[in-house]
Amino acid sequence: MKGWLKIVGLGPGDENLVTPQVLDALSKASDVIGYYPYIARVAEYPSLRLHSSDNRAELDRAKHALQLALEGNKVVVVSSGDPGVFAMAAAIFEAIEKGPENWRKIEINVLPGITAMLAAAARVGAPLGHDFCTINLSDNLKPWEIIEKRLRLAAEADFAMAFYNPSSKSRPKGFEKALRILNAVCKETTPVIFARAVSSSQENINVVPLTQATPQMADMRTIVIVGSSQTRIIQRPDRSPFVYTPRFLSP
Ligand code: SAH
């Protein structure tokens, strides 16, 4: 079978943060499929067919990609960041599990990328230097009650936390509720990092204590990192502070 499918991560935005492996896959592709802002990041060349679609169309996009690969095309599906983190790789496997038997014969590779959480953490220091967890705050694909439960238990377990999809126009209240839960469990000085459009020309990073964090500080281009009780801030003259979580846990 000459067709193949590669599910790749384009990283957080900066073209220097795309891996050579992903660039190589794109250079060999006949078809690139993805959400239109991500397709816009792919360099065009005459023989390359670009298929962009809307954000919510993940499963249709996955089926389209699998069908094109089965027909012998060299297909790259693009996600931002890493394709395995709240992105297209899982959508493709969901389609394969329920789809026709011949989709299982397609050569498929997942090529990792730098996920938003890691790019954001690196910009401020090392807030994820000790145990941490990641929660997608969107209730599009799971009930809000589960999000609240995970949030509360993760805060009680004193993990540092990274929140993907903290807020959007269609979900204006979720992040406000999340902040209420955090304020009830975590200490007041817990550093909260709002990292917007990390590594792009619109990057904006804001570090505030939990009590000063407001719902308006996050939108759909923001990743939010909340420190644990051990997360520390190192102030520096005329430079932005470092935020880090030590590797050890003081008793
Ligand atoms: N697969 C992606 C995540 C997709 S979910 C990854 O690995 O990064 C989309 C969410 O990711 C956004 O709502 C935001 O929370 C986060 N995100 C993606 N790119 C970002 C960036 N450059 N800066 C800050 N957050 C980003």
Side-chain angles (χ1 to χ4, degrees):
M1 211 190 277
K2 69 182 174 60
W4 47 251
L5 172 58
K6 295 187 196 298
I7 314 158
V8 312
L10 295 175
D14 183 343
E15 62 182 62
N16 290 317
L17 298 181
V18 185
T19 69
Q21 193 183 41
V22 166
L23 291 175
D24 184 58
L26 287 168
S27 76
K28 294 182 173 133
S30 60
D31 296 81
V32 180
I33 298 185
Y35 178 38
Y36 62 88
Y38 307 153
I39 288 287
R41 287 170 54 192
V42 174
E44 292 187 46
Y45 52 88
S47 63
L48 183 66
R49 288 180 295 266
L50 298 175
H51 311 263
S52 49
S53 51
D54 193 61
N55 202 7
R56 303 244 179 154
E58 282 112 348
L59 212 51
D60 290 341
R61 200 187 291 148
K63 291 177 187 165
H64 184 200
L66 286 157
Q67 205 49 43
L68 283 173
L70 193 67
E71 289 162 8
N73 298 290
K74 299 177 170 63
V75 184
V76 171
V77 171
V78 290
S79 285
S80 76
D82 181 89
V85 178
F86 311 130
M88 281 307 295
I92 302 262
F93 295 121
E94 288 159 23
I96 292 174
E97 201 178 354
K98 295 206 178 100
E101 194 61 30
N102 55 4
W103 281 358
R104 299 184 183 214
K105 296 182 191 147
I106 301 169
E107 181 190 332
I108 299 182
N109 296 100
V110 181
L111 309 186
I114 296 177
T115 189
M117 162 182 81
L118 299 183
R123 296 293 285 134
V124 297
L128 307 177
H130 190 76
D131 298 347
F132 65 90
C133 72
T134 301
I135 303 176
N136 184 345
L137 291 191
S138 167
D139 60 356
N140 286 342
L141 300 172
K142 63 187 168 192
W144 175 257
E145 296 67 44
I146 293 288
I147 300 176
E148 281 201 0
K149 181 178 176 189
R150 290 183 181 165
L151 196 64
R152 183 174 293 107
L153 293 175
E156 283 172 5
D158 201 20
F159 284 114
M161 289 172 266
F163 300 141
Y164 286 76
N165 293 304
S167 189
S168 77
K169 288 198 186 81
S170 60
R171 297 178 287 108
K173 289 283 171 205
F175 188 54
E176 190 179 328
K177 288 192 244 169
L179 282 176
R180 228 176 285 138
I181 293 170
L182 294 173
N183 272 294
V185 179
C186 306
K187 64 180 187 187
E188 294 181 357
T189 53
T190 304
V192 182
I193 300 150
F194 291 91
R196 183 172 194 278
V198 176
S199 89
S200 80
S201 56
Q202 292 110 50
E203 178 179 289
N204 182 37
I205 296 182
N206 192 7
V207 182
V208 297
L210 177 57
T211 46
Q212 285 173 31
T214 65
Q216 295 72 32
M217 289 178 179
D219 66 4
M220 64 181 290
R221 296 193 69 193
T222 308
I223 184 140
V224 181
I225 299 179
V226 178
S228 73
S229 68
Q230 307 298 307
T231 303
R232 317 188 51 78
I233 294 191
I234 303 177
Q235 299 292 350
R236 302 188 293 164
D238 304 322
R239 286 179 189 272
S240 55
F242 288 128
V243 186
Y244 90 105
T245 311
R247 294 163 301 152
F248 55 84
L249 184 65
S250 24

